[in-house]
Amino acid sequence: MGSAAVAGPLTQAVTGPGLPSLPFTALPFTAAEQARIAQATALPRDFTRPQPFEALAGGAGTVAGAAAFSSPLANLPPGEGLDFRGGQALFDRGWVSAPASTIASDGLGPLFNARSCLACHPGGGRGAAPAGPGDLPAALMLQLGVPDPAAIEGYLTAHPDPVYGRQIQPLGLPGQTAEGRPRVAYDEIAIPLSEGESAALRRPRYELAEPGFGPLDEATVISPRIAPGLAGLGLLEAIPEQAILALADPDDADGDGISGRASLLPGPEGQPVLGRFGWTAAQPTLQAQIAHAFAHDIGLSSPLYPEGHGDCTPVQTGCRAAPDGGDPEQDGFEISATALDLVTRHARHTAVPARRDADAPEVLAGKKLFHDTGCAACHRPAFVTRRLPEAPALSFQLIWPHTDLLLHDMGAGLAGGGAGASGQEWRTPPLWGLGLARALEPQAGYLHDGRARTLLEAVLWHGGEAAPARDRVATMPASDRAALIRFLESL
Ligand code: HEC
Ligand code: HEC
């Protein structure tokens, strides 16, 4: 059990009046249920056939194919289906500037990254990565943070850049000074593999070209982040906290070289809350993550971010002075409490794709390698969600996300605005749906900034705690490497 340390330099202090976690009553597991859960989620020993229910990655609500990323959980009660479609419409909606005749769709900006959620999460999947050097696609944003040297040990927080705020918004409404053009250049690194094979990794260098308000503060750290796929997030939110904390081992007490730590964030009353969402687990709930996206990515206020000017700092006076789209007929926010709730429930109830070919011999061989190589130490295969009588679709589901939702030191190669003092800690991402990313967005990339063009490249970037696992992949027989990748594609 971890004495779970806390959020890193780019973790934002949670803002807003209050942060309800899952708004449902959770029943404790009985002793008999706990025994069943331990058995169902134990690491496998028999690799000759799939484990029971393994193909149903998202439990009973699993949906076949890439459509899962924009479909409701199959076991969602019919009454909830209508709200899912309502949330989907808001997710897809392209926002316009205020004042507009369509009051319900206005309030965009003044500065923004994109006009809709869909623009960065196409089909609910991960966003397009850069094909090569040049301007960044919308889905790859530059977050900003100034680490606080005076932060008390424990809650390390980062301040926004004094001029540019929490992230670069490359777009602005007419009349606004745009913040600049985020760009990337790549250096190729050749990686020799066994049997004469090799791989080429592209190491990114980011810069803000044509900065609209002068150069970035010297102390500001840039943290590139690409939009992840949005499958099964309500199920991740429903994993019992204790199940995640039980996997944390911040001081590596068991000496296995893997020391995940929980992302603990300051909650509304100062009590720590568990972060789960985003590449650094910097957001505790889907509602918090989504309100943050509305405010920072699209420039829309909501009850959690009441200011109409989004991420504009006091220095950005033109932006502060722009009209806002708060609708007095609603509750005065550009995104009303009702709209925020609809979009949150949409994300919470989005399905997970079924495994493909989980019983194919090469996939089973790859699964064995995944376990033998040490991948499952962080990419924890299975959990059982809380018992939630009011949310039957999310309740007591055996799910296969392949993540521990903990932060891991991934080494200097992946440093740059991650969590922790070193900026090289990242949350283990869920791997479900990985093999369908390209079906939704042909230009999809892997890792927190989409730098990996293939799954093998993603694995070869692993360092730090995962360096031994990476080395095993580089030196294993080429046919084993192919089987391991085949397993990842089946997820
Ligand atoms: C400009 C691109 C962009 C837009 C627009 C955008 N997102 Fe995202 N989204 C991202 C990025 C980048 C991340 C990762 C953030 C991080 O690591 O801090 C993310 C993360 C998320 C997550 C967390 C997923 C996880 O696996 O933890 C959710 C949920 C989400 N976005 C929903 C939305 C919704 C709903 C909207 C519309 C209100 C939206 N996003 C708009 C880029 C975008
Ligand atoms: C020490 C924990 C740890 C181990 C061990 C580990 N991973 Fe990861 N994995 C991570 C983290 C953290 C990331 C995200 C890193 C980033 O985005 O910079 C990640 C990312 C990935 C991704 C990209 C996912 C995405 O959504 O883009 C793949 C694929 C992956 N891991 C596969 C593997 C495989 C295969 C192994 C075993 C050879 C392995 N991992 C071992 C922690 C681990």
Side-chain angles (χ1 to χ4, degrees), residues 73-464:
L73 287 161
N75 58 347
L76 199 62
E80 289 272 2
L82 201 62
D83 282 348
F84 184 86
R85 293 295 162 210
Q88 177 99 48
L90 291 168
F91 185 90
D92 294 353
R93 177 176 294 174
W95 299 85
V96 298
S97 58
S101 52
T102 50
I103 263 217
S105 308
D106 76 2
L108 175 70
L111 300 178
F112 57 99
N113 293 77
R115 290 172 185 276
S116 67
C117 310
L118 186 68
C120 293
H121 300 280
R126 63 181 70 206
D135 289 354
L136 298 188
L140 176 49
M141 60 168 70
L142 300 184
Q143 290 186 4
L144 307 172
V146 183
D148 183 352
I152 334 152
E153 199 192 342
Y155 289 120
L156 285 171
T157 51
H159 302 291
D161 179 273
V163 174
Y164 289 90
R166 292 285 181 193
Q167 72 194 43
I168 297 296
Q169 285 90 10
L171 303 175
L173 297 176
Q176 293 292 329
T177 308
E179 290 193 326
R181 285 167 47 209
R183 294 169 60 82
V184 65
Y186 292 105
D187 301 318
E188 294 271 334
I189 313 167
I191 306 285
L193 304 172
S194 57
E195 297 190 32
E197 292 193 347
S198 66
L201 302 184
R202 47 175 200 172
R203 179 188 297 282
R205 279 179 284 125
Y206 295 95
E207 61 154 355
L208 180 64
E210 298 168 28
F213 298 85
L216 288 175
D217 194 287
E218 265 174 27
T220 295
V221 177
I222 290 182
S223 185
R225 306 284 174 97
I226 201 156
L230 304 181
L233 296 174
L235 294 164
L236 294 183
E237 204 174 30
I239 296 175
E241 227 156 78
Q242 310 83 286
I244 296 165
L245 294 175
L247 298 171
D249 182 17
D251 305 319
D252 193 19
D254 65 4
D256 67 351
I258 308 282
S259 51
R261 73 179 179 98
S263 164
L264 294 189
L265 311 165
E269 271 103 51
Q271 83 287 20
V273 295
L274 179 64
R276 298 176 194 235
F277 299 108
W279 289 101
T280 52
Q283 295 291 349
T285 63
L286 284 173
Q287 190 198 45
Q289 175 80 47
I290 290 168
H292 186 276
F294 271 125
H296 293 76
D297 305 349
I298 315 185
L300 295 169
S301 62
S302 69
L304 292 190
Y305 291 88
E307 307 284 6
H309 51 67
D311 190 34
C312 302
T313 59
V315 186
Q316 298 174 311
T317 47
C319 169
R320 289 276 177 137
D324 94 52
D327 182 354
E329 309 233 319
Q330 300 272 346
D331 48 15
F333 303 113
E334 292 163 336
I335 295 294
S336 67
T338 313
L340 180 60
D341 185 51
L342 274 177
V343 181
T344 303
R345 276 151 65 192
H346 171 261
R348 189 177 284 149
H349 294 149
T350 302
V352 175
R355 289 280 303 280
R356 282 88 48 221
D357 306 324
D359 56 355
E362 196 188 17
V363 169
L364 287 166
K367 179 181 168 185
K368 181 168 192 312
L369 289 159
F370 185 84
H371 285 268
D372 292 351
T373 308
C375 314
C378 303
H379 295 284
R380 192 80 190 181
F383 290 91
V384 171
T385 60
R386 291 184 176 116
R387 264 210 188 282
L388 303 165
E390 297 144 17
L394 301 172
S395 176
F396 208 57
Q397 297 296 317
L398 174 59
I399 59 170
W400 306 80
H402 292 86
T403 172
D404 56 8
L405 293 179
L406 297 174
L407 296 170
H408 293 277
D409 184 335
M410 295 299 284
L414 289 172
S422 62
Q424 52 194 42
E425 287 182 327
W426 300 97
R427 177 199 72 163
T428 312
L431 299 183
W432 53 19
L434 201 58
L436 294 169
R438 290 269 160 88
L440 291 163
E441 170 51 64
Q443 197 55 50
Y446 308 100
L447 299 176
H448 66 269
D449 60 356
R451 68 177 67 185
R453 292 160 293 191
T454 64
L455 293 171
L456 179 59
E457 284 182 26
V459 176
L460 295 174
W461 271 110
H462 282 52

